[in-house]
CSV table of all heavy atoms in Angstrom, one decimal:
chain,number,residue,atom,x,y,z
W,1,PHE,N,-15.3,-0.5,-17.9
W,1,PHE,CA,-13.8,-0.5,-17.8
W,1,PHE,C,-13.3,0.3,-16.6
W,1,PHE,O,-12.5,-0.1,-15.8
W,1,PHE,CB,-13.2,-0.1,-19.1
W,1,PHE,CG,-11.7,0.1,-19.1
W,1,PHE,CD1,-10.9,-1.0,-18.9
W,1,PHE,CD2,-11.2,1.3,-19.3
W,1,PHE,CE1,-9.5,-0.8,-18.9
W,1,PHE,CE2,-9.8,1.5,-19.2
W,1,PHE,CZ,-9.0,0.4,-19.0
W,2,MET,N,-13.8,1.5,-16.5
W,2,MET,CA,-13.4,2.5,-15.5
W,2,MET,C,-13.7,2.0,-14.1
W,2,MET,O,-13.0,2.1,-13.1
W,2,MET,CB,-14.0,3.9,-15.7
W,2,MET,CG,-13.5,4.5,-17.0
W,2,MET,SD,-11.7,4.9,-17.1
W,2,MET,CE,-11.7,6.5,-16.4
W,3,ILE,N,-14.9,1.3,-14.0
W,3,ILE,CA,-15.3,0.8,-12.7
W,3,ILE,C,-14.4,-0.4,-12.3
W,3,ILE,O,-13.9,-0.4,-11.1
W,3,ILE,CB,-16.8,0.2,-12.8
W,3,ILE,CG1,-17.7,1.4,-12.9
W,3,ILE,CG2,-17.1,-0.6,-11.6
W,3,ILE,CD1,-19.2,1.0,-13.1
W,4,LEU,N,-14.0,-1.2,-13.2
W,4,LEU,CA,-13.2,-2.4,-12.9
W,4,LEU,C,-11.8,-2.0,-12.5
W,4,LEU,O,-11.2,-2.4,-11.5
W,4,LEU,CB,-13.1,-3.4,-14.0
W,4,LEU,CG,-14.4,-4.1,-14.3
W,4,LEU,CD1,-14.4,-4.9,-15.6
W,4,LEU,CD2,-14.7,-5.1,-13.1
W,5,ILE,N,-11.2,-1.1,-13.2
W,5,ILE,CA,-9.8,-0.6,-12.9
W,5,ILE,C,-9.9,0.3,-11.6
W,5,ILE,O,-8.9,0.3,-10.9
W,5,ILE,CB,-9.1,0.1,-14.0
W,5,ILE,CG1,-9.8,1.4,-14.4
W,5,ILE,CG2,-9.0,-0.8,-15.2
W,5,ILE,CD1,-9.0,2.2,-15.4
W,6,GLY,N,-11.0,0.9,-11.4
W,6,GLY,CA,-11.2,1.7,-10.2
W,6,GLY,C,-11.2,0.8,-8.9
W,6,GLY,O,-10.7,1.2,-7.9
W,7,ILE,N,-11.8,-0.4,-9.0
W,7,ILE,CA,-11.9,-1.3,-7.9
W,7,ILE,C,-10.5,-1.7,-7.5
W,7,ILE,O,-10.1,-1.7,-6.3
W,7,ILE,CB,-12.7,-2.5,-8.2
W,7,ILE,CG1,-14.2,-2.1,-8.4
W,7,ILE,CG2,-12.6,-3.6,-7.2
W,7,ILE,CD1,-15.1,-3.2,-8.9
W,8,SER,N,-9.7,-2.1,-8.5
W,8,SER,CA,-8.3,-2.5,-8.2
W,8,SER,C,-7.5,-1.3,-7.7
W,8,SER,O,-6.6,-1.5,-6.8
W,8,SER,CB,-7.7,-3.1,-9.5
W,8,SER,OG,-8.1,-4.4,-9.7
W,9,SER,N,-7.7,-0.2,-8.3
W,9,SER,CA,-6.9,1.0,-7.8
W,9,SER,C,-7.2,1.4,-6.4
W,9,SER,O,-6.3,1.7,-5.6
W,9,SER,CB,-7.2,2.2,-8.8
W,9,SER,OG,-6.8,2.0,-10.1
W,10,GLY,N,-8.5,1.3,-6.0
W,10,GLY,CA,-8.9,1.6,-4.7
W,10,GLY,C,-8.3,0.6,-3.7
W,10,GLY,O,-7.8,1.0,-2.6
W,11,ALA,N,-8.4,-0.7,-4.0
W,11,ALA,CA,-7.8,-1.7,-3.2
W,11,ALA,C,-6.3,-1.6,-3.1
W,11,ALA,O,-5.7,-1.8,-2.1
W,11,ALA,CB,-8.2,-3.1,-3.7
W,12,ALA,N,-5.7,-1.3,-4.3
W,12,ALA,CA,-4.2,-1.2,-4.3
W,12,ALA,C,-3.7,0.0,-3.4
W,12,ALA,O,-2.7,-0.2,-2.8
W,12,ALA,CB,-3.7,-0.9,-5.7
W,13,SER,N,-4.5,1.1,-3.3
W,13,SER,CA,-4.0,2.2,-2.5
W,13,SER,C,-4.0,1.8,-1.0
W,13,SER,O,-3.1,2.3,-0.3
W,13,SER,CB,-5.0,3.4,-2.7
W,13,SER,OG,-6.3,3.0,-2.2
W,14,ILE,N,-4.9,0.9,-0.6
W,14,ILE,CA,-4.8,0.4,0.8
W,14,ILE,C,-3.7,-0.6,1.0
W,14,ILE,O,-3.0,-0.6,1.9
W,14,ILE,CB,-6.2,-0.2,1.2
W,14,ILE,CG1,-7.3,0.9,1.1
W,14,ILE,CG2,-6.1,-0.8,2.5
W,14,ILE,CD1,-7.1,2.0,2.2
W,15,VAL,N,-3.6,-1.5,0.0
W,15,VAL,CA,-2.6,-2.6,0.1
W,15,VAL,C,-1.2,-2.0,0.2
W,15,VAL,O,-0.4,-2.3,1.1
W,15,VAL,CB,-2.7,-3.6,-1.1
W,15,VAL,CG1,-1.5,-4.5,-1.1
W,15,VAL,CG2,-4.0,-4.4,-1.0
W,16,VAL,N,-0.9,-1.1,-0.7
W,16,VAL,CA,0.5,-0.5,-0.8
W,16,VAL,C,0.8,0.3,0.5
W,16,VAL,O,1.9,0.4,0.9
W,16,VAL,CB,0.6,0.4,-2.1
W,16,VAL,CG1,1.9,1.1,-2.1
W,16,VAL,CG2,0.5,-0.5,-3.3
W,17,SER,N,-0.2,0.9,1.1
W,17,SER,CA,0.0,1.7,2.2
W,17,SER,C,0.0,1.0,3.6
W,17,SER,O,0.6,1.5,4.5
W,17,SER,CB,-1.1,2.8,2.3
W,17,SER,OG,-1.0,3.6,1.1
W,18,THR,N,-0.7,-0.1,3.7
W,18,THR,CA,-0.8,-0.8,5.0
W,18,THR,C,0.0,-2.0,5.1
W,18,THR,O,0.3,-2.5,6.2
W,18,THR,CB,-2.3,-1.1,5.3
W,18,THR,OG1,-2.8,-2.0,4.3
W,18,THR,CG2,-3.2,0.1,5.3
W,19,LEU,N,0.4,-2.6,4.0
W,19,LEU,CA,1.1,-3.9,4.0
W,19,LEU,C,2.4,-3.7,4.8
W,19,LEU,O,2.9,-4.6,5.5
W,19,LEU,CB,1.3,-4.4,2.6
W,19,LEU,CG,2.1,-5.8,2.5
W,19,LEU,CD1,1.2,-6.9,3.2
W,19,LEU,CD2,2.4,-6.1,1.1
W,20,TRP,N,3.1,-2.6,4.6
W,20,TRP,CA,4.4,-2.4,5.2
W,20,TRP,C,4.3,-2.3,6.7
W,20,TRP,O,5.3,-2.7,7.4
W,20,TRP,CB,5.1,-1.2,4.5
W,20,TRP,CG,5.0,-1.2,3.1
W,20,TRP,CD1,4.4,-0.2,2.3
W,20,TRP,CD2,5.5,-2.2,2.2
W,20,TRP,NE1,4.5,-0.6,0.9
W,20,TRP,CE2,5.2,-1.8,0.9
W,20,TRP,CE3,6.2,-3.4,2.4
W,20,TRP,CZ2,5.5,-2.6,-0.2
W,20,TRP,CZ3,6.5,-4.2,1.3
W,20,TRP,CH2,6.2,-3.7,0.0
W,21,VAL,N,3.2,-1.7,7.2
W,21,VAL,CA,3.1,-1.7,8.6
W,21,VAL,C,2.9,-3.1,9.2
W,21,VAL,O,3.5,-3.4,10.3
W,21,VAL,CB,1.8,-0.8,9.0
W,21,VAL,CG1,1.7,-0.7,10.5
W,21,VAL,CG2,2.0,0.6,8.4
W,22,GLU,N,2.2,-3.9,8.5
W,22,GLU,CA,2.0,-5.3,9.0
W,22,GLU,C,3.3,-6.1,8.9
W,22,GLU,O,3.6,-6.9,9.8
W,22,GLU,CB,0.9,-6.0,8.2
W,22,GLU,CG,-0.5,-5.5,8.4
W,22,GLU,CD,-1.6,-6.3,7.7
W,22,GLU,OE1,-1.2,-7.4,7.3
W,22,GLU,OE2,-2.7,-5.8,7.5
W,23,LEU,N,4.1,-5.8,7.9
W,23,LEU,CA,5.3,-6.6,7.7
W,23,LEU,C,6.4,-6.1,8.6
W,23,LEU,O,7.2,-6.9,9.2
W,23,LEU,CB,5.7,-6.5,6.2
W,23,LEU,CG,4.9,-7.4,5.2
W,23,LEU,CD1,5.4,-7.1,3.8
W,23,LEU,CD2,5.0,-8.8,5.5
W,24,TYR,N,6.6,-4.7,8.6
W,24,TYR,CA,7.8,-4.2,9.2
W,24,TYR,C,7.6,-3.2,10.3
W,24,TYR,O,8.6,-2.6,10.8
W,24,TYR,CB,8.6,-3.5,8.0
W,24,TYR,CG,8.8,-4.4,6.9
W,24,TYR,CD1,8.4,-4.1,5.6
W,24,TYR,CD2,9.5,-5.6,7.0
W,24,TYR,CE1,8.6,-4.9,4.5
W,24,TYR,CE2,9.8,-6.5,6.0
W,24,TYR,CZ,9.3,-6.1,4.7
W,24,TYR,OH,9.5,-7.0,3.7
W,25,GLY,N,6.4,-3.0,10.8
W,25,GLY,CA,6.2,-2.2,12.0
W,25,GLY,C,6.1,-0.7,11.6
W,25,GLY,O,6.2,-0.3,10.5
W,26,MET,N,6.0,0.2,12.7
W,26,MET,CA,5.7,1.6,12.5
W,26,MET,C,6.9,2.5,12.7
W,26,MET,O,6.9,3.6,12.2
W,26,MET,CB,4.6,2.0,13.5
W,26,MET,CG,4.1,3.4,13.3
W,26,MET,SD,2.8,3.4,12.0
W,26,MET,CE,1.5,2.5,12.8
W,27,GLY,N,8.0,2.0,13.3
W,27,GLY,CA,9.1,2.8,13.7
W,27,GLY,C,9.8,3.6,12.6
W,27,GLY,O,10.1,4.7,12.7
W,28,TYR,N,10.0,2.9,11.4
W,28,TYR,CA,10.7,3.5,10.3
W,28,TYR,C,9.7,3.6,9.1
W,28,TYR,O,10.2,3.4,8.0
W,28,TYR,CB,11.9,2.8,10.0
W,28,TYR,CG,12.9,2.7,11.1
W,28,TYR,CD1,12.9,1.7,12.0
W,28,TYR,CD2,13.8,3.8,11.3
W,28,TYR,CE1,13.8,1.7,13.1
W,28,TYR,CE2,14.7,3.8,12.3
W,28,TYR,CZ,14.7,2.7,13.2
W,28,TYR,OH,15.6,2.7,14.3
W,29,LEU,N,8.5,3.8,9.3
W,29,LEU,CA,7.5,3.8,8.3
W,29,LEU,C,7.8,4.7,7.1
W,29,LEU,O,7.7,4.4,6.0
W,29,LEU,CB,6.1,4.0,8.8
W,29,LEU,CG,4.9,4.1,7.8
W,29,LEU,CD1,4.8,2.7,7.1
W,29,LEU,CD2,3.6,4.4,8.5
W,30,GLY,N,8.2,6.0,7.5
W,30,GLY,CA,8.5,7.0,6.5
W,30,GLY,C,9.6,6.5,5.5
W,30,GLY,O,9.4,6.6,4.3
W,31,SER,N,10.7,6.0,6.1
W,31,SER,CA,11.8,5.6,5.2
W,31,SER,C,11.5,4.4,4.4
W,31,SER,O,11.9,4.2,3.3
W,31,SER,CB,13.1,5.4,6.0
W,31,SER,OG,12.9,4.5,7.0
W,32,ILE,N,10.8,3.4,5.1
W,32,ILE,CA,10.4,2.2,4.4
W,32,ILE,C,9.4,2.5,3.3
W,32,ILE,O,9.5,2.0,2.1
W,32,ILE,CB,9.9,1.1,5.3
W,32,ILE,CG1,11.0,0.7,6.3
W,32,ILE,CG2,9.3,0.0,4.6
W,32,ILE,CD1,10.5,-0.2,7.4
W,33,ARG,N,8.4,3.3,3.6
W,33,ARG,CA,7.4,3.6,2.5
W,33,ARG,C,8.0,4.4,1.4
W,33,ARG,O,7.6,4.2,0.2
W,33,ARG,CB,6.2,4.3,3.1
W,33,ARG,CG,5.1,4.5,2.2
W,33,ARG,CD,3.9,5.2,2.7
W,33,ARG,NE,2.8,5.3,1.7
W,33,ARG,CZ,2.8,6.2,0.6
W,33,ARG,NH1,3.8,7.1,0.5
W,33,ARG,NH2,1.9,6.1,-0.2
W,34,SER,N,9.0,5.3,1.7
W,34,SER,CA,9.6,6.0,0.6
W,34,SER,C,10.4,5.1,-0.3
W,34,SER,O,10.5,5.3,-1.5
W,34,SER,CB,10.5,7.1,1.2
W,34,SER,OG,11.6,6.6,1.9
W,35,LEU,N,11.0,4.1,0.3
W,35,LEU,CA,11.7,3.0,-0.5
W,35,LEU,C,10.7,2.4,-1.4
W,35,LEU,O,10.9,2.2,-2.6
W,35,LEU,CB,12.3,2.0,0.4
W,35,LEU,CG,12.8,0.7,-0.2
W,35,LEU,CD1,13.9,0.9,-1.2
W,35,LEU,CD2,13.2,-0.3,0.9
């Protein structure tokens, strides 16, 4: 169980952090990511 939720957690940490750069660029990353 811990392995399976760990896989999703590891992938989610990358998705949540990089998707906004792909969608909205780098200029206002701090304010967008804080949102």
Side-chain angles (χ1 to χ4, degrees):
F1 170 66
M2 296 295 269
I3 289 172
L4 289 171
I5 66 172
I7 293 173
S8 285
S9 296
S13 64
I14 297 294
V15 170
V16 172
S17 299
T18 62
L19 183 62
W20 312 121
V21 179
E22 292 186 17
L23 287 174
Y24 305 121
M26 191 77 71
Y28 299 93
L29 177 60
S31 60
I32 293 174
R33 189 181 181 278
S34 65
L35 163 66

